[in-house]
PDB file of all heavy atoms in Angstrom:
ATOM      1  N   MET A1239      63.213 131.025  30.990  1.00  0.00           N
ATOM      2  CA  MET A1239      63.873 130.648  29.844  1.00  0.00           C
ATOM      3  C   MET A1239      63.239 131.230  28.501  1.00  0.00           C
ATOM      4  O   MET A1239      63.605 130.701  27.400  1.00  0.00           O
ATOM      5  CB  MET A1239      63.874 129.107  29.798  1.00  0.00           C
ATOM      6  CG  MET A1239      64.632 128.439  30.871  1.00  0.00           C
ATOM      7  SD  MET A1239      66.449 128.634  30.733  1.00  0.00           S
ATOM      8  CE  MET A1239      66.774 129.659  32.166  1.00  0.00           C
ATOM      9  N   GLU A1240      62.418 132.292  28.623  1.00  0.00           N
ATOM     10  CA  GLU A1240      61.851 132.725  27.394  1.00  0.00           C
ATOM     11  C   GLU A1240      62.829 133.119  26.241  1.00  0.00           C
ATOM     12  O   GLU A1240      62.531 133.015  25.115  1.00  0.00           O
ATOM     13  CB  GLU A1240      60.999 133.946  27.643  1.00  0.00           C
ATOM     14  CG  GLU A1240      59.952 133.678  28.715  1.00  0.00           C
ATOM     15  CD  GLU A1240      60.363 134.254  30.193  1.00  0.00           C
ATOM     16  OE1 GLU A1240      61.455 133.941  30.508  1.00  0.00           O
ATOM     17  OE2 GLU A1240      59.552 134.972  30.685  1.00  0.00           O
ATOM     18  N   GLN A1241      64.000 133.499  26.644  1.00  0.00           N
ATOM     19  CA  GLN A1241      65.015 134.060  25.647  1.00  0.00           C
ATOM     20  C   GLN A1241      65.819 132.861  25.152  1.00  0.00           C
ATOM     21  O   GLN A1241      66.552 133.105  24.108  1.00  0.00           O
ATOM     22  CB  GLN A1241      65.859 135.045  26.350  1.00  0.00           C
ATOM     23  CG  GLN A1241      65.279 136.268  26.785  1.00  0.00           C
ATOM     24  CD  GLN A1241      64.396 137.025  25.910  1.00  0.00           C
ATOM     25  OE1 GLN A1241      64.899 137.337  24.699  1.00  0.00           O
ATOM     26  NE2 GLN A1241      63.131 137.323  26.199  1.00  0.00           N
ATOM     27  N   THR A1242      65.660 131.621  25.634  1.00  0.00           N
ATOM     28  CA  THR A1242      66.556 130.605  25.218  1.00  0.00           C
ATOM     29  C   THR A1242      65.708 129.385  24.666  1.00  0.00           C
ATOM     30  O   THR A1242      66.341 128.512  24.094  1.00  0.00           O
ATOM     31  CB  THR A1242      67.446 130.099  26.295  1.00  0.00           C
ATOM     32  OG1 THR A1242      66.629 129.511  27.330  1.00  0.00           O
ATOM     33  CG2 THR A1242      68.230 131.190  26.900  1.00  0.00           C
ATOM     34  N   ILE A1243      64.466 129.416  24.696  1.00  0.00           N
ATOM     35  CA  ILE A1243      63.607 128.374  24.212  1.00  0.00           C
ATOM     36  C   ILE A1243      62.731 128.966  23.119  1.00  0.00           C
ATOM     37  O   ILE A1243      62.009 129.950  23.361  1.00  0.00           O
ATOM     38  CB  ILE A1243      62.734 127.689  25.305  1.00  0.00           C
ATOM     39  CG1 ILE A1243      63.637 127.105  26.346  1.00  0.00           C
ATOM     40  CG2 ILE A1243      61.787 126.593  24.757  1.00  0.00           C
ATOM     41  CD1 ILE A1243      62.930 126.357  27.502  1.00  0.00           C
ATOM     42  N   GLU A1244      62.705 128.409  21.905  1.00  0.00           N
ATOM     43  CA  GLU A1244      61.887 128.701  20.886  1.00  0.00           C
ATOM     44  C   GLU A1244      60.834 127.607  20.480  1.00  0.00           C
ATOM     45  O   GLU A1244      61.181 126.552  20.225  1.00  0.00           O
ATOM     46  CB  GLU A1244      62.789 129.111  19.645  1.00  0.00           C
ATOM     47  CG  GLU A1244      61.999 129.575  18.418  1.00  0.00           C
ATOM     48  CD  GLU A1244      62.929 129.791  17.221  1.00  0.00           C
ATOM     49  OE1 GLU A1244      64.051 129.445  17.320  1.00  0.00           O
ATOM     50  OE2 GLU A1244      62.278 130.242  16.158  1.00  0.00           O
ATOM     51  N   PHE A1245      59.628 127.981  20.464  1.00  0.00           N
ATOM     52  CA  PHE A1245      58.503 127.115  20.042  1.00  0.00           C
ATOM     53  C   PHE A1245      58.295 127.418  18.491  1.00  0.00           C
ATOM     54  O   PHE A1245      57.732 128.450  18.217  1.00  0.00           O
ATOM     55  CB  PHE A1245      57.224 127.222  20.818  1.00  0.00           C
ATOM     56  CG  PHE A1245      57.378 126.755  22.326  1.00  0.00           C
ATOM     57  CD1 PHE A1245      57.783 127.600  23.226  1.00  0.00           C
ATOM     58  CD2 PHE A1245      56.991 125.543  22.585  1.00  0.00           C
ATOM     59  CE1 PHE A1245      58.009 127.093  24.660  1.00  0.00           C
ATOM     60  CE2 PHE A1245      57.024 124.961  23.900  1.00  0.00           C
ATOM     61  CZ  PHE A1245      57.635 125.848  24.893  1.00  0.00           C
ATOM     62  N   ARG A1246      58.738 126.504  17.680  1.00  0.00           N
ATOM     63  CA  ARG A1246      58.592 126.810  16.220  1.00  0.00           C
ATOM     64  C   ARG A1246      57.396 126.299  15.530  1.00  0.00           C
ATOM     65  O   ARG A1246      57.163 126.559  14.406  1.00  0.00           O
ATOM     66  CB  ARG A1246      59.805 126.094  15.451  1.00  0.00           C
ATOM     67  CG  ARG A1246      61.152 126.708  15.945  1.00  0.00           C
ATOM     68  CD  ARG A1246      62.374 126.180  15.184  1.00  0.00           C
ATOM     69  NE  ARG A1246      63.678 126.738  15.699  1.00  0.00           N
ATOM     70  CZ  ARG A1246      64.815 126.472  15.200  1.00  0.00           C
ATOM     71  NH1 ARG A1246      64.960 125.579  14.201  1.00  0.00           N
ATOM     72  NH2 ARG A1246      65.840 127.032  15.669  1.00  0.00           N
ATOM     73  N   GLY A1247      56.492 125.650  16.295  1.00  0.00           N
ATOM     74  CA  GLY A1247      55.259 125.203  15.794  1.00  0.00           C
ATOM     75  C   GLY A1247      55.345 124.079  14.757  1.00  0.00           C
ATOM     76  O   GLY A1247      56.441 123.346  14.654  1.00  0.00           O
ATOM     77  N   PHE A1248      54.417 124.055  13.825  1.00  0.00           N
ATOM     78  CA  PHE A1248      54.434 123.051  12.811  1.00  0.00           C
ATOM     79  C   PHE A1248      55.335 123.449  11.715  1.00  0.00           C
ATOM     80  O   PHE A1248      55.234 124.486  11.115  1.00  0.00           O
ATOM     81  CB  PHE A1248      52.975 122.811  12.190  1.00  0.00           C
ATOM     82  CG  PHE A1248      52.964 121.938  11.121  1.00  0.00           C
ATOM     83  CD1 PHE A1248      53.077 120.494  11.190  1.00  0.00           C
ATOM     84  CD2 PHE A1248      52.722 122.427   9.773  1.00  0.00           C
ATOM     85  CE1 PHE A1248      53.053 119.712  10.112  1.00  0.00           C
ATOM     86  CE2 PHE A1248      52.763 121.635   8.686  1.00  0.00           C
ATOM     87  CZ  PHE A1248      52.818 120.259   8.841  1.00  0.00           C
ATOM     88  N   LEU A1249      56.150 122.531  11.251  1.00  0.00           N
ATOM     89  CA  LEU A1249      56.928 122.720  10.052  1.00  0.00           C
ATOM     90  C   LEU A1249      56.739 121.671   9.045  1.00  0.00           C
ATOM     91  O   LEU A1249      56.741 120.495   9.366  1.00  0.00           O
ATOM     92  CB  LEU A1249      58.464 122.620  10.390  1.00  0.00           C
ATOM     93  CG  LEU A1249      59.030 123.764  11.323  1.00  0.00           C
ATOM     94  CD1 LEU A1249      60.552 123.552  11.547  1.00  0.00           C
ATOM     95  CD2 LEU A1249      58.733 125.095  10.756  1.00  0.00           C
ATOM     96  N   SER A1250      56.174 121.913   7.814  1.00  0.00           N
ATOM     97  CA  SER A1250      55.961 120.966   6.809  1.00  0.00           C
ATOM     98  C   SER A1250      57.096 120.151   6.440  1.00  0.00           C
ATOM     99  O   SER A1250      57.077 118.983   5.975  1.00  0.00           O
ATOM    100  CB  SER A1250      55.346 121.557   5.544  1.00  0.00           C
ATOM    101  OG  SER A1250      56.253 122.553   5.019  1.00  0.00           O
ATOM    102  N   ASN A1251      58.297 120.790   6.522  1.00  0.00           N
ATOM    103  CA  ASN A1251      59.605 120.074   6.381  1.00  0.00           C
ATOM    104  C   ASN A1251      60.554 120.412   7.495  1.00  0.00           C
ATOM    105  O   ASN A1251      61.301 121.440   7.562  1.00  0.00           O
ATOM    106  CB  ASN A1251      60.253 120.522   5.015  1.00  0.00           C
ATOM    107  CG  ASN A1251      61.562 119.911   4.805  1.00  0.00           C
ATOM    108  OD1 ASN A1251      61.870 118.863   5.524  1.00  0.00           O
ATOM    109  ND2 ASN A1251      62.378 120.400   3.850  1.00  0.00           N
ATOM    110  N   PRO A1252      60.555 119.586   8.496  1.00  0.00           N
ATOM    111  CA  PRO A1252      61.517 119.838   9.685  1.00  0.00           C
ATOM    112  C   PRO A1252      62.945 119.455   9.419  1.00  0.00           C
ATOM    113  O   PRO A1252      63.782 119.684  10.341  1.00  0.00           O
ATOM    114  CB  PRO A1252      60.890 118.976  10.790  1.00  0.00           C
ATOM    115  CG  PRO A1252      60.388 117.848  10.022  1.00  0.00           C
ATOM    116  CD  PRO A1252      59.781 118.344   8.656  1.00  0.00           C
ATOM    117  N   TYR A1253      63.223 118.697   8.324  1.00  0.00           N
ATOM    118  CA  TYR A1253      64.547 118.142   8.201  1.00  0.00           C
ATOM    119  C   TYR A1253      65.664 119.112   8.075  1.00  0.00           C
ATOM    120  O   TYR A1253      66.697 118.781   8.662  1.00  0.00           O
ATOM    121  CB  TYR A1253      64.585 117.153   6.975  1.00  0.00           C
ATOM    122  CG  TYR A1253      63.502 116.110   7.106  1.00  0.00           C
ATOM    123  CD1 TYR A1253      62.502 115.943   6.242  1.00  0.00           C
ATOM    124  CD2 TYR A1253      63.486 115.328   8.110  1.00  0.00           C
ATOM    125  CE1 TYR A1253      61.549 115.016   6.298  1.00  0.00           C
ATOM    126  CE2 TYR A1253      62.391 114.298   8.338  1.00  0.00           C
ATOM    127  CZ  TYR A1253      61.544 114.180   7.426  1.00  0.00           C
ATOM    128  OH  TYR A1253      60.502 113.242   7.471  1.00  0.00           O
ATOM    129  N   PRO A1254      65.624 120.250   7.474  1.00  0.00           N
ATOM    130  CA  PRO A1254      66.676 121.144   7.480  1.00  0.00           C
ATOM    131  C   PRO A1254      67.063 121.598   8.880  1.00  0.00           C
ATOM    132  O   PRO A1254      68.166 121.844   9.330  1.00  0.00           O
ATOM    133  CB  PRO A1254      66.279 122.337   6.564  1.00  0.00           C
ATOM    134  CG  PRO A1254      65.269 121.695   5.624  1.00  0.00           C
ATOM    135  CD  PRO A1254      64.559 120.650   6.461  1.00  0.00           C
ATOM    136  N   ALA A1255      66.023 121.850   9.757  1.00  0.00           N
ATOM    137  CA  ALA A1255      66.240 122.260  11.073  1.00  0.00           C
ATOM    138  C   ALA A1255      66.831 121.125  11.950  1.00  0.00           C
ATOM    139  O   ALA A1255      67.768 121.415  12.702  1.00  0.00           O
ATOM    140  CB  ALA A1255      64.859 122.565  11.751  1.00  0.00           C
ATOM    141  N   ILE A1256      66.419 119.912  11.723  1.00  0.00           N
ATOM    142  CA  ILE A1256      67.168 118.731  12.472  1.00  0.00           C
ATOM    143  C   ILE A1256      68.538 118.758  12.025  1.00  0.00           C
ATOM    144  O   ILE A1256      69.484 118.548  12.750  1.00  0.00           O
ATOM    145  CB  ILE A1256      66.443 117.413  12.034  1.00  0.00           C
ATOM    146  CG1 ILE A1256      64.972 117.477  12.661  1.00  0.00           C
ATOM    147  CG2 ILE A1256      67.182 116.224  12.705  1.00  0.00           C
ATOM    148  CD1 ILE A1256      64.151 116.292  12.380  1.00  0.00           C
ATOM    149  N   ALA A1257      68.848 118.732  10.589  1.00  0.00           N
ATOM    150  CA  ALA A1257      70.146 118.681  10.063  1.00  0.00           C
ATOM    151  C   ALA A1257      71.115 119.740  10.511  1.00  0.00           C
ATOM    152  O   ALA A1257      72.377 119.633  10.558  1.00  0.00           O
ATOM    153  CB  ALA A1257      70.154 118.610   8.551  1.00  0.00           C
ATOM    154  N   SER A1258      70.544 120.911  10.901  1.00  0.00           N
ATOM    155  CA  SER A1258      71.409 122.160  11.310  1.00  0.00           C
ATOM    156  C   SER A1258      71.694 122.093  12.712  1.00  0.00           C
ATOM    157  O   SER A1258      72.576 122.889  13.140  1.00  0.00           O
ATOM    158  CB  SER A1258      70.591 123.370  10.816  1.00  0.00           C
ATOM    159  OG  SER A1258      70.519 123.456   9.383  1.00  0.00           O
ATOM    160  N   ALA A1259      70.875 121.426  13.568  1.00  0.00           N
ATOM    161  CA  ALA A1259      70.934 121.565  15.041  1.00  0.00           C
ATOM    162  C   ALA A1259      72.285 120.782  15.496  1.00  0.00           C
ATOM    163  O   ALA A1259      72.799 119.885  14.898  1.00  0.00           O
ATOM    164  CB  ALA A1259      69.777 120.907  15.717  1.00  0.00           C
ATOM    165  N   GLY A1260      72.729 121.285  16.641  1.00  0.00           N
ATOM    166  CA  GLY A1260      73.957 120.531  17.216  1.00  0.00           C
ATOM    167  C   GLY A1260      73.645 119.344  18.064  1.00  0.00           C
ATOM    168  O   GLY A1260      74.519 118.439  18.237  1.00  0.00           O
ATOM    169  N   LEU A1261      72.370 119.212  18.371  1.00  0.00           N
ATOM    170  CA  LEU A1261      71.952 117.962  19.182  1.00  0.00           C
ATOM    171  C   LEU A1261      70.510 117.693  19.109  1.00  0.00           C
ATOM    172  O   LEU A1261      69.751 118.674  18.986  1.00  0.00           O
ATOM    173  CB  LEU A1261      72.226 118.210  20.576  1.00  0.00           C
ATOM    174  CG  LEU A1261      71.995 117.068  21.669  1.00  0.00           C
ATOM    175  CD1 LEU A1261      72.842 115.907  21.485  1.00  0.00           C
ATOM    176  CD2 LEU A1261      72.223 117.639  23.104  1.00  0.00           C
ATOM    177  N   PHE A1262      70.111 116.426  18.932  1.00  0.00           N
ATOM    178  CA  PHE A1262      68.633 116.097  18.888  1.00  0.00           C
ATOM    179  C   PHE A1262      68.397 115.293  20.179  1.00  0.00           C
ATOM    180  O   PHE A1262      69.154 114.421  20.531  1.00  0.00           O
ATOM    181  CB  PHE A1262      68.444 115.119  17.738  1.00  0.00           C
ATOM    182  CG  PHE A1262      66.975 114.738  17.548  1.00  0.00           C
ATOM    183  CD1 PHE A1262      66.190 115.507  16.814  1.00  0.00           C
ATOM    184  CD2 PHE A1262      66.438 113.681  18.271  1.00  0.00           C
ATOM    185  CE1 PHE A1262      64.826 115.215  16.622  1.00  0.00           C
ATOM    186  CE2 PHE A1262      65.100 113.345  18.145  1.00  0.00           C
ATOM    187  CZ  PHE A1262      64.190 114.062  17.311  1.00  0.00           C
ATOM    188  N   CYS A1263      67.195 115.786  20.870  1.00  0.00           N
ATOM    189  CA  CYS A1263      66.814 115.169  22.054  1.00  0.00           C
ATOM    190  C   CYS A1263      65.406 114.549  21.955  1.00  0.00           C
ATOM    191  O   CYS A1263      64.569 115.096  21.353  1.00  0.00           O
ATOM    192  CB  CYS A1263      66.950 116.106  23.201  1.00  0.00           C
ATOM    193  SG  CYS A1263      68.453 116.317  24.082  1.00  0.00           S
ATOM    194  N   LEU A1264      65.317 113.306  22.482  1.00  0.00           N
ATOM    195  CA  LEU A1264      63.964 112.670  22.512  1.00  0.00           C
ATOM    196  C   LEU A1264      63.730 112.291  24.040  1.00  0.00           C
ATOM    197  O   LEU A1264      64.346 111.321  24.498  1.00  0.00           O
ATOM    198  CB  LEU A1264      63.960 111.283  21.750  1.00  0.00           C
ATOM    199  CG  LEU A1264      62.588 110.673  21.680  1.00  0.00           C
ATOM    200  CD1 LEU A1264      61.790 111.292  20.498  1.00  0.00           C
ATOM    201  CD2 LEU A1264      62.747 109.183  21.449  1.00  0.00           C
ATOM    202  N   PRO A1265      62.859 113.102  24.790  1.00  0.00           N
ATOM    203  CA  PRO A1265      62.737 112.915  26.225  1.00  0.00           C
ATOM    204  C   PRO A1265      61.469 112.143  26.543  1.00  0.00           C
ATOM    205  O   PRO A1265      60.944 112.177  27.702  1.00  0.00           O
ATOM    206  CB  PRO A1265      62.635 114.381  26.750  1.00  0.00           C
ATOM    207  CG  PRO A1265      61.940 115.071  25.658  1.00  0.00           C
ATOM    208  CD  PRO A1265      62.291 114.348  24.340  1.00  0.00           C
ATOM    209  N   SER A1266      60.981 111.239  25.667  1.00  0.00           N
ATOM    210  CA  SER A1266      59.626 110.692  25.878  1.00  0.00           C
ATOM    211  C   SER A1266      59.541 109.698  27.016  1.00  0.00           C
ATOM    212  O   SER A1266      60.545 109.158  27.554  1.00  0.00           O
ATOM    213  CB  SER A1266      59.347 109.862  24.649  1.00  0.00           C
ATOM    214  OG  SER A1266      59.328 110.618  23.429  1.00  0.00           O
ATOM    215  N   LEU A1267      58.252 109.601  27.556  1.00  0.00           N
ATOM    216  CA  LEU A1267      58.108 108.686  28.613  1.00  0.00           C
ATOM    217  C   LEU A1267      57.877 107.164  28.058  1.00  0.00           C
ATOM    218  O   LEU A1267      58.123 106.314  28.902  1.00  0.00           O
ATOM    219  CB  LEU A1267      56.780 109.046  29.356  1.00  0.00           C
ATOM    220  CG  LEU A1267      56.581 110.507  29.777  1.00  0.00           C
ATOM    221  CD1 LEU A1267      55.406 110.613  30.680  1.00  0.00           C
ATOM    222  CD2 LEU A1267      57.891 110.994  30.503  1.00  0.00           C
ATOM    223  N   TYR A1268      57.388 107.020  26.886  1.00  0.00           N
ATOM    224  CA  TYR A1268      57.269 105.775  26.268  1.00  0.00           C
ATOM    225  C   TYR A1268      57.145 105.989  24.852  1.00  0.00           C
ATOM    226  O   TYR A1268      56.673 107.073  24.277  1.00  0.00           O
ATOM    227  CB  TYR A1268      56.100 105.015  26.817  1.00  0.00           C
ATOM    228  CG  TYR A1268      54.715 105.556  26.706  1.00  0.00           C
ATOM    229  CD1 TYR A1268      53.961 105.461  25.524  1.00  0.00           C
ATOM    230  CD2 TYR A1268      54.246 106.391  27.639  1.00  0.00           C
ATOM    231  CE1 TYR A1268      52.757 106.073  25.443  1.00  0.00           C
ATOM    232  CE2 TYR A1268      53.025 107.074  27.568  1.00  0.00           C
ATOM    233  CZ  TYR A1268      52.275 106.886  26.441  1.00  0.00           C
ATOM    234  OH  TYR A1268      51.084 107.465  26.268  1.00  0.00           O
ATOM    235  N   GLU A1269      57.603 105.039  23.987  1.00  0.00           N
ATOM    236  CA  GLU A1269      57.496 105.063  22.549  1.00  0.00           C
ATOM    237  C   GLU A1269      57.351 103.690  21.986  1.00  0.00           C
ATOM    238  O   GLU A1269      57.536 102.706  22.677  1.00  0.00           O
ATOM    239  CB  GLU A1269      58.930 105.616  22.027  1.00  0.00           C
ATOM    240  CG  GLU A1269      59.062 107.164  22.316  1.00  0.00           C
ATOM    241  CD  GLU A1269      58.255 107.981  21.201  1.00  0.00           C
ATOM    242  OE1 GLU A1269      57.691 107.443  20.259  1.00  0.00           O
ATOM    243  OE2 GLU A1269      58.207 109.238  21.471  1.00  0.00           O
ATOM    244  N   GLY A1270      57.019 103.645  20.684  1.00  0.00           N
ATOM    245  CA  GLY A1270      57.059 102.357  19.995  1.00  0.00           C
ATOM    246  C   GLY A1270      58.423 102.423  19.332  1.00  0.00           C
ATOM    247  O   GLY A1270      59.372 102.308  19.997  1.00  0.00           O
ATOM    248  N   LEU A1271      58.480 102.541  18.103  1.00  0.00           N
ATOM    249  CA  LEU A1271      59.778 102.783  17.407  1.00  0.00           C
ATOM    250  C   LEU A1271      59.743 104.186  16.848  1.00  0.00           C
ATOM    251  O   LEU A1271      59.078 104.360  15.768  1.00  0.00           O
ATOM    252  CB  LEU A1271      60.074 101.712  16.255  1.00  0.00           C
ATOM    253  CG  LEU A1271      61.368 101.850  15.461  1.00  0.00           C
ATOM    254  CD1 LEU A1271      62.604 101.517  16.468  1.00  0.00           C
ATOM    255  CD2 LEU A1271      61.386 100.933  14.254  1.00  0.00           C
ATOM    256  N   PRO A1272      60.494 105.106  17.433  1.00  0.00           N
ATOM    257  CA  PRO A1272      60.241 106.560  17.071  1.00  0.00           C
ATOM    258  C   PRO A1272      60.942 106.934  15.779  1.00  0.00           C
ATOM    259  O   PRO A1272      62.131 106.960  15.575  1.00  0.00           O
ATOM    260  CB  PRO A1272      60.926 107.340  18.185  1.00  0.00           C
ATOM    261  CG  PRO A1272      61.837 106.247  18.850  1.00  0.00           C
ATOM    262  CD  PRO A1272      61.242 104.908  18.609  1.00  0.00           C
ATOM    263  N   LEU A1273      60.109 107.133  14.723  1.00  0.00           N
ATOM    264  CA  LEU A1273      60.679 107.507  13.384  1.00  0.00           C
ATOM    265  C   LEU A1273      61.501 108.630  13.458  1.00  0.00           C
ATOM    266  O   LEU A1273      62.565 108.762  12.812  1.00  0.00           O
ATOM    267  CB  LEU A1273      59.596 107.574  12.470  1.00  0.00           C
ATOM    268  CG  LEU A1273      58.777 106.227  12.193  1.00  0.00           C
ATOM    269  CD1 LEU A1273      57.646 106.550  11.070  1.00  0.00           C
ATOM    270  CD2 LEU A1273      59.562 105.157  11.734  1.00  0.00           C
ATOM    271  N   VAL A1274      61.086 109.720  14.176  1.00  0.00           N
ATOM    272  CA  VAL A1274      61.886 110.914  14.095  1.00  0.00           C
ATOM    273  C   VAL A1274      63.367 110.728  14.709  1.00  0.00           C
ATOM    274  O   VAL A1274      64.267 111.282  14.300  1.00  0.00           O
ATOM    275  CB  VAL A1274      61.172 112.003  15.029  1.00  0.00           C
ATOM    276  CG1 VAL A1274      61.238 111.840  16.425  1.00  0.00           C
ATOM    277  CG2 VAL A1274      61.715 113.449  14.609  1.00  0.00           C
ATOM    278  N   LEU A1275      63.545 109.783  15.640  1.00  0.00           N
ATOM    279  CA  LEU A1275      64.876 109.461  16.266  1.00  0.00           C
ATOM    280  C   LEU A1275      65.706 108.790  15.052  1.00  0.00           C
ATOM    281  O   LEU A1275      66.857 109.095  14.841  1.00  0.00           O
ATOM    282  CB  LEU A1275      64.722 108.534  17.286  1.00  0.00           C
ATOM    283  CG  LEU A1275      65.996 108.194  18.156  1.00  0.00           C
ATOM    284  CD1 LEU A1275      66.661 109.495  18.626  1.00  0.00           C
ATOM    285  CD2 LEU A1275      65.661 107.285  19.277  1.00  0.00           C
ATOM    286  N   LEU A1276      64.977 107.895  14.199  1.00  0.00           N
ATOM    287  CA  LEU A1276      65.736 107.339  13.178  1.00  0.00           C
ATOM    288  C   LEU A1276      66.033 108.327  12.048  1.00  0.00           C
ATOM    289  O   LEU A1276      67.166 108.377  11.544  1.00  0.00           O
ATOM    290  CB  LEU A1276      64.907 106.250  12.421  1.00  0.00           C
ATOM    291  CG  LEU A1276      64.531 104.978  13.400  1.00  0.00           C
ATOM    292  CD1 LEU A1276      63.464 104.042  12.717  1.00  0.00           C
ATOM    293  CD2 LEU A1276      65.779 104.268  13.784  1.00  0.00           C
TER     294      LEU A1276
END
Side-chain angles (χ1 to χ4, degrees):
M1239 293 290 114
E1240 303 98 314
Q1241 301 304 312
T1242 65
I1243 297 178
E1244 179 183 4
F1245 289 87
R1246 297 185 180 178
F1248 172 77
L1249 296 180
S1250 60
N1251 177 13
Y1253 302 118
I1256 295 173
S1258 298
L1261 178 65
F1262 184 92
C1263 275
L1264 185 86
S1266 299
L1267 308 186
Y1268 58 91
E1269 287 282 352
L1271 182 65
L1273 295 184
V1274 70
L1275 187 58
L1276 295 175

